[in-house]
């Protein structure tokens, strides 16, 4: 019996363990609904690209934060996004993801300067993921 209901054992999980995580931090002000809509947009575009179940996508939007995009200027609207994934993504897929993040962000915050947004891709493996206080089974 797996300690993680809904998480398949290794044979099926190898493809499904990608579990992409998107973390967006911005100094732009958003309503709760605006942040929820951005989370939904991020989730909707990333799961087919990552080839994982939609339920495995983790998205977090932290808005109205004190952040800057270089030079310490905290007044200019900016956004930092980290994409953590457990698969190697081609440059083309990363470019596609970055473009989709930019589109979703511009829809949520139309006044943000695209030149003040950054996407950082970070690769990990299923061996580095724990859910419910326990490491995923290998």
């Amino acid at each position: 019996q797996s300690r993680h209901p809904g998480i398949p054992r290794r044979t099926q999980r190898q493809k499904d363990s990608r579990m992409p995580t998107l973390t967006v931090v911005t100094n732009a002000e958003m309503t709760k609904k605006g942040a929820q809509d951005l989370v939904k947009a991020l989730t909707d575009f990333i799961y087919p690209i990552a080839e994982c179940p939609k339920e495995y996508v983790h998205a977090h939007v932290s808005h109205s934060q004190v952040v800057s995009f270089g030079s310490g200027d905290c007044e200019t609207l900016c956004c930092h996004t980290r994409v953590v994934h457990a698969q190697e993504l081609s440059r083309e897929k990363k470019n596609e993801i970055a473009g989709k993040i930019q589109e979703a962000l511009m829809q949520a915050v139309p006044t943000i300067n695209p030149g003040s947004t950054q996407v950082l891709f970070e690769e990990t493996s299923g061996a580095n993921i724990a859910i419910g206080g326990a490491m995923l089974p290998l």
Side-chain angles (χ1 to χ4, degrees):
Q1 179 75 9
S2 173
R3 288 187 58 185
H4 307 287
I7 305 285
R9 289 238 174 241
R10 183 180 181 143
T11 52
Q12 182 185 348
R13 189 176 52 80
Q14 286 187 0
K15 184 174 181 182
D16 293 343
S17 69
R18 295 176 178 158
M19 303 175 101
T21 300
L22 294 91
T23 305
V24 177
V25 180
T26 181
N27 57 356
E29 293 186 21
M30 302 173 116
T31 64
K32 181 177 180 178
K33 171 123 175 49
Q36 289 171 333
D37 289 347
L38 181 55
V39 165
K40 183 179 181 333
L42 295 171
T43 301
D44 286 347
F45 84 74
I46 194 73
Y47 84 90
I49 296 171
E51 299 175 3
C52 71
K54 190 174 186 177
E55 297 77 23
Y56 284 16
V57 176
H58 304 273
H60 173 80
V61 174
S62 184
H63 59 90
S64 306
Q65 300 298 304
V66 178
V67 295
S68 73
F69 193 85
S71 76
D73 172 15
C74 296
E75 298 301 316
T76 301
L77 293 181
C78 63
C79 178
H80 304 279
T81 304
R82 171 171 265 138
V83 179
V84 180
H85 50 92
Q87 74 185 74
E88 187 173 332
L89 296 173
S90 68
R91 185 169 176 81
E92 291 77 25
K93 278 196 175 189
K94 288 178 183 177
N95 212 21
E96 181 181 1
I97 291 168
K100 295 283 190 180
I101 289 171
Q102 187 67 39
E103 286 175 26
L105 186 60
M106 293 302 292
Q107 197 158 19
V109 187
T111 55
I112 200 163
N113 177 354
S116 295
T117 64
Q118 175 188 44
V119 178
L120 173 67
F121 292 90
E122 185 177 325
E123 294 177 14
T124 189
S125 72
N128 294 320
I129 300 173
I131 296 179
M135 298 302 294
L136 290 178
L138 295 177

